[in-house]
Amino acid sequence: MTDLSTVKILVPGRFHPETFETLQATFDVVTIPGRDASVLTEEQRQAIRGIAQGGSVPASLMDALPNLEIVANFGVGYDGVDVAHAAAKGIMVTNTPDVLTEEVADTTVGLLLMTVREFPAAERHLREGRWHGEGAYRLTPMTLRGRRVGIMGLGRIGLAIARRLEGFGVPIAYHNRSPRSDVAYAYHDTLQGLAEAVDTLIIAAPGGAATEKAVDAAVLKALGPDGVLINIGRGTTVDEAALIEALETGTIAAAGLDVFENEPHVPERLTALPNTVLLPHVGSASRHTRREMGNLVIANLKAWFSGEEPVSPVAECVKAGISRAGR
Ligand code: NAP
């Protein structure tokens, strides 16, 4: 039985403080400020067997750690981890699915309503004393009533969003690479086709090369002048320049965004627009849910270094046949 307190785990960059405390109490933790392994001693590089982190793990960091066995990602999306490189080297990657699904779906519905009914602007109207001074906030040109919603990425989070929206009485359609057999929502085999069929497009698909700039000028044009885009997935999935252009020219009506192409940098042209609601990537950001995510990171590392299979390995590593038993 391995004494976990002797297992060296690297935490590169900033990490969820509560999870970091538990990691330190359980393992032998080494920290570095960023992703540059050259700040480690040769002895540390040789000894590190795991990484716990919530941002990116480039191939160069994996290559600098010859005895790395597992990357435990804090987050369900692991587009920042070079998972193809990990799988090729036999390194396990884990993520934190399910425990954040309901929180992110709640955030999405909130963002949708904020965008369509202009709640942030209406609230500013009250706080600035304008209700009293100028009168009621304007009647909103947009409403959720009569809208048709399309979801790109009807996975765990997408389905939780769809189930909530059923209660709002709006028809739902979706686009995945393949149709689901367990839902009756209309399936579109292209994103363009989905955008043509709806006026409200919610992105809940993973980031990465396969979805990069998938929401482009043509998709936005298809969404149309009453169109609303909600992005809770990844900023890279939307061509941000094309989106700004579409919002400025009225090609679509409004956008609610929790994620951006180059976080935490948000283009001034986006923040200047009155028809955007912008959140600083807070989809899962409650104490409750972040704690649950942290617990899953720890559970994956504990299982692996106790000789058991991790709780939530990513699909690419399972497909590549990477397992604890295979070591
Ligand atoms: P999931 O269960 O794996 O669902 C992903 C869905 O996207 C699946 O239905 C998948 O269906 C579809 N998909 C994957 N690649 C696609 C492609 N190239 N084109 C079209 N559809 C594609 O993942 P999840 O747990 O719902 O999480 C989804 C994403 O949400 C994460 O990857 C992350 O980026 C994002 N997220 C954001 C926040 C936030 O704070 N804003 C928080 C958590 C997660 P097919 O396989 O059939 O294509």
Side-chain angles (χ1 to χ4, degrees):
M1 183 86 181
T2 311
D3 174 3
L4 295 180
S5 70
T6 66
V7 175
K8 237 184 205 22
I9 302 288
L10 176 69
V11 178
R14 287 166 59 179
F15 199 57
H16 179 241
E18 212 178 300
T19 310
F20 183 71
E21 268 180 34
T22 312
L23 273 176
Q24 274 191 314
T26 314
F27 298 97
D28 178 11
V29 172
V30 184
T31 60
I32 56 174
R35 267 63 185 170
D36 178 6
S38 68
V39 297
L40 293 165
T41 65
E42 176 60 22
E43 199 184 330
Q44 285 173 323
R45 286 201 311 106
Q46 294 292 337
I48 287 165
R49 296 174 64 193
I51 294 179
Q53 65 83 46
S56 61
V57 180
S60 57
L61 183 54
M62 296 182 210
D63 291 344
L65 308 171
N67 295 305
L68 182 65
E69 298 170 36
I70 179 169
V71 174
N73 192 60
F74 184 92
V76 68
Y78 50 94
D79 43 303
V81 178
D82 191 335
V83 72
H85 194 72
K89 295 190 79 163
I91 297 167
M92 173 57 82
V93 179
T94 61
N95 65 344
T96 60
D98 301 314
V99 293
L100 46 63
T101 296
E102 305 300 330
E103 193 81 72
V104 180
D106 290 348
T107 309
T108 312
V109 173
L111 183 55
L112 172 63
L113 290 172
M114 284 165 79
T115 307
V116 170
R117 293 296 321 288
E118 304 180 3
F119 292 144
E123 209 234 11
R124 282 197 296 278
H125 185 82
L126 180 153
R127 282 181 191 273
E128 290 165 5
R130 291 162 57 201
W131 186 17
H132 170 254
E134 295 168 22
Y137 184 74
R138 73 169 185 163
L139 303 183
T140 60
M142 286 184 291
T143 170
L144 194 60
R145 299 301 95 222
R147 282 196 170 268
R148 289 158 294 141
V149 174
I151 300 176
M152 176 196 184
L154 195 76
R156 287 169 293 242
I157 294 170
L159 188 60
I161 296 166
R163 295 298 188 220
R164 279 162 177 71
L165 290 180
E166 280 184 25
F168 287 78
V170 289
I172 294 155
Y174 72 105
H175 164 64
N176 280 357
R177 287 166 301 184
S178 24
R180 292 182 68 129
S181 56
D182 57 349
V183 298
Y185 309 131
Y187 174 70
H188 293 265
D189 59 3
T190 64
L191 181 57
Q192 180 78 22
L194 178 67
E196 281 164 14
V198 303
D199 53 24
T200 308
L201 182 61
I202 299 177
I203 310 301
T211 56
E212 197 172 344
K213 291 189 174 29
V215 180
D216 58 11
V219 167
L220 294 166
K221 186 159 186 278
L223 203 54
D226 292 326
V228 171
L229 176 74
I230 302 295
N231 191 5
I232 195 83
R234 280 290 182 265
T236 50
T237 304
V238 174
D239 181 338
E240 213 164 69
L243 173 63
I244 293 169
E245 176 86 17
L247 287 164
E248 284 176 347
T249 57
T251 302
I252 69 165
L257 309 172
D258 185 49
V259 288
F260 302 88
E261 221 170 75
N262 183 25
E263 296 174 9
H265 305 288
V266 178
E268 267 177 40
R269 276 171 72 195
L270 260 187
T271 53
L273 280 166
N275 52 348
T276 56
V277 175
L278 309 171
L279 296 179
H281 202 147
V282 294
S284 67
S286 70
R287 286 190 183 169
H288 164 88
T289 296
R290 289 288 166 88
R291 188 177 302 135
E292 294 288 310
M293 291 161 65
N295 289 344
L296 189 45
V297 168
I298 306 275
N300 275 311
L301 290 171
K302 271 189 173 171
W304 184 265
F305 290 112
S306 304
E308 295 159 21
E309 296 306 329
V311 186
S312 46
V314 304
E316 292 87 338
C317 290
V318 174
K319 205 169 154 204
I322 300 166
S323 70
R324 192 68 181 93
R327 280 209 157 245

